[in-house]
């Protein structure tokens, strides 16, 4: 059977090793996963108690419009209900954008390395992908502007960027939007926005009223701790959302996911505690790196991209044998590095001890 030719050149997403796989492979009893930027504090107890009452009516299709969640979120964000679209994680919102705007004969502009699903979905739709290398871990917005032409449909900006954790500030964002043609969709992926502490982070929500070509994506998978339920959303002008809706599957978010997201929004104390703990523990990790001569990108996320004097694969393998799952930079396009999710303090103390032991081997 014949498929799209591009699929022969693409690889499916290969997730990292699961906790059970690592336990079996290395004969370990306890594993700490710090590879996927999940919330190590789990999710809100308020969500847990609320969901126990929500497991009813599973034989009925979910609300395809996500009315209750839509109303609550629109009030919280101070946007019109018709400015929202929901997806099976923000990954699906990315897929919907590509399905709607990209096709053979057009191009899309993005940084590299960045979130890989922009490129993956764009290629499936037959679009040309124009990648601009990061400048010291940060989006090179001026060079990205130079890649835009009459055939450009979408520009992707991951802010803060995955896998580097870096951000573009308000001034850079405003300058980019002012110079970007208004017929080109600018997608600001803010999956880690709840972890940002820098006051110069762009106020993209307010910018929606100034730029009709702006779309923001966010998720409940990271700080809210609902990764297993897969729910994210996009925010844009009503006209952009109305263009996207025909590309969305009718019942793409489950009833449980909608209810969990709704409950999670009500427990901002959990988000504040997650933020505070993450920032404090990240500082300890940065001090560790400084003391060991390791460089890292300034991160506004719940992870740190650490440069190493050895390969990322070697450090990753060593940490696996010591009960820690991390992400090798070799797999992310940044050799000699690892991406390390900020975990609980006691786990971070142990992984820093293991890293110190490995680094001392070559001295």
């Amino acid at each position: 059977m014949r498929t799209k030719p591009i699929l022969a050149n693409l690889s499916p997403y290969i997730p990292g090793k699961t906790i059970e796989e690592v336990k079996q492979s290395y004969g370990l009893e306890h594993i700490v996963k710090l590879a996927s930027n999940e919330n190590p504090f789990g999710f809100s107890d308020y969500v847990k108690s609320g969901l126990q009452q929500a497991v009813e009516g599973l034989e009925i299709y979910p609300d395809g419009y996500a009315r209750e969640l839509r109303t609550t979120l629109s009030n919280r964000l101070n946007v019109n209900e018709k400015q929202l679209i929901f997806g099976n994680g923000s990954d699906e919102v990315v897929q919907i954008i590509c399905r709607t705007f990209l096709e053979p004969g057009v191009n899309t502009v993005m940084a590299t390395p960045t979130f890989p699903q922009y490129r993956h979905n764009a290629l499936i739709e037959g679009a040309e992908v124009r990648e601009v290398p990061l400048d010291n871990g940060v989006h090179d917005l001026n060079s990205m502007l130079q890649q835009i032409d009459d055939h450009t449909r979408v520009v992707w900006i991951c802010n803060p960027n995955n896998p580097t954790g870096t951000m573009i500030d308000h001034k850079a964002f405003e300058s980019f939007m002012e110079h970007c043609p208004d017929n080109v969709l600018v997608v600001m992926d803010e999956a880690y926005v709840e972890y940002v502490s820098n006051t110069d982070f762009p106020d993209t929500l307010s910018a929606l009223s100034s730029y009709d070509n702006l779309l923001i994506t966010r998720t409940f998978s990271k700080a809210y701790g609902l990764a297993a339920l897969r729910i994210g959303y996009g925010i844009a002008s009503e006209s952009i959302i109305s263009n996207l809706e025909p590309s969305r599957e009718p019942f793409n978010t489950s009833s449980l996911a909608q209810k969990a997201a709704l409950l999670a929004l009500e427990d901002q104390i959990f988000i504040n505690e997650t933020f505070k703990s993450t920032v404090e523990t990240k500082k300890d990790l940065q001090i560790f790196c400084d003391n060991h001569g390791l460089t890292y990108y300034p991160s506004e996320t719940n992870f740190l991209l650490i440069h190493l004097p050895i390969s990322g694969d070697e450090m990753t393998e060593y940490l696996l044998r010591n009960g820690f799952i991390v992400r090798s930079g070799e797999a992310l396009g940044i050799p000699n590095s690892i991406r390390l999710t900020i975990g609980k303090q006691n786990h971070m103390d142990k992984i820093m001890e293991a890293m110190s032991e490995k680094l001392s081997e070559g001295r």
Side-chain angles (χ1 to χ4, degrees):
M1 298 177 68
R2 179 176 294 182
T3 65
K4 290 182 178 180
I6 187 62
L7 294 177
N9 299 318
L10 294 177
S11 300
Y13 175 75
I14 301 176
K17 293 179 180 292
T18 66
I19 290 176
E20 289 305 316
E21 286 174 331
V22 175
K23 284 182 178 180
Q24 293 176 11
S25 298
Y26 295 88
L28 298 170
E29 294 184 4
H30 302 288
I31 299 296
V32 178
K33 185 183 178 189
L34 299 171
S36 301
N37 308 330
E38 296 142 332
N39 190 336
F41 307 105
F43 60 98
S44 163
D45 287 338
Y46 183 72
V47 173
K48 185 180 296 185
S49 61
L51 278 187
Q52 291 175 355
Q53 303 171 12
V55 187
E56 299 289 343
L58 296 184
E59 74 282 5
I60 300 172
Y61 283 109
D63 176 7
Y65 190 65
R67 287 171 177 81
E68 192 174 5
L69 175 59
R70 182 182 296 271
T71 299
T72 298
L73 190 58
S74 65
N75 290 333
R76 180 173 293 276
L77 300 177
N78 195 28
V79 298
N80 188 289
E81 291 183 9
K82 295 182 179 179
Q83 289 183 258
L84 295 170
I85 187 170
F86 294 92
N88 185 29
S90 58
D91 298 42
E92 192 194 20
V93 179
V94 170
Q95 183 184 56
I96 291 171
I97 292 167
C98 290
R99 181 182 293 178
T100 303
F101 290 97
L102 301 181
E103 60 187 334
V106 306
N107 68 71
T108 181
V109 178
M110 63 194 69
T112 184
T114 191
F115 185 54
Q117 291 305 106
Y118 313 146
R119 180 180 188 274
H120 185 86
N121 284 291
L123 290 174
I124 289 176
E125 299 302 329
E128 175 194 353
V129 173
R130 297 183 176 181
E131 297 178 293
V132 177
L134 298 173
D135 182 5
N136 196 29
V138 182
H139 283 66
D140 185 349
L141 296 181
N142 289 331
S143 295
M144 291 176 70
L145 282 171
Q146 294 173 14
Q147 290 295 318
I148 297 174
D149 61 21
D150 292 340
H151 301 289
T152 304
R153 292 275 183 87
V154 182
V155 176
W156 307 86
I157 300 175
C158 189
N159 198 41
N161 186 49
N162 180 11
T164 58
T166 55
M167 62 162 248
I168 63 167
D169 60 23
H170 176 78
K171 182 178 179 180
F173 166 73
E174 288 290 342
S175 177
F176 182 86
M177 294 302 299
E178 289 295 326
H179 289 88
C180 182
D182 58 13
N183 64 332
V184 174
L185 179 66
V186 178
V187 179
M188 296 293 293
D189 183 344
E190 297 183 347
Y192 297 92
V193 66
E194 289 84 8
Y195 290 105
V196 174
S197 60
N198 194 319
T199 56
D200 284 333
F201 191 77
D203 183 359
T204 50
L205 285 174
S206 295
L208 286 170
S209 60
S210 299
Y211 305 108
D212 290 335
N213 59 328
L214 175 63
L215 189 154
I216 307 161
T217 64
R218 294 183 178 179
T219 184
F220 288 94
S221 296
K222 303 302 181 183
Y224 286 96
L226 302 181
L229 291 178
R230 312 303 301 122
I231 185 160
Y233 58 98
I235 322 155
S237 66
E238 290 186 34
S239 61
I240 289 177
I241 297 300
S242 65
N243 286 330
L244 292 173
E245 280 291 352
S247 297
R248 182 181 63 82
E249 294 296 325
F251 305 108
N252 62 328
T253 60
S254 71
S255 298
L256 285 177
Q258 291 177 30
K259 182 62 176 180
L262 183 64
L263 293 167
L265 286 171
E266 296 178 20
D267 189 2
Q268 289 301 304
I269 293 177
F270 173 79
I271 295 299
N272 293 335
E273 291 175 346
T274 289
F275 170 80
K276 182 180 178 181
S277 297
T278 300
V279 170
E280 291 176 352
T281 309
K282 182 166 56 178
K283 288 179 180 178
D284 292 340
L285 178 59
Q286 291 170 329
I287 292 172
F288 166 85
C289 290
D290 293 339
N291 291 339
H292 286 76
L294 303 176
T295 59
Y296 50 88
Y297 291 123
S299 173
E300 291 293 331
T301 64
N302 69 330
F303 62 83
L304 200 65
L305 196 290
I306 304 172
H307 302 285
L308 304 168
I310 59 176
S311 76
D313 287 347
E314 184 178 349
M315 179 62 82
T316 298
E317 177 64 20
Y318 181 83
L319 293 176
L320 272 175
R321 295 184 180 279
N322 283 272
F324 295 97
I325 307 174
V326 303
R327 190 73 161 147
S328 171
E330 267 68 19
L332 301 171
I334 307 178
N336 287 31
S337 70
I338 57 171
R339 190 189 66 191
L340 177 58
T341 303
I342 308 301
K344 295 180 179 178
Q345 185 65 61
N346 61 322
H347 294 153
M348 297 305 293
D349 290 340
K350 292 179 181 178
I351 196 172
M352 287 188 285
E353 181 180 348
M355 289 177 64
S356 182
E357 292 173 353
K358 177 61 179 175
L359 293 169
S360 66
E361 288 182 357
R363 295 176 183 173

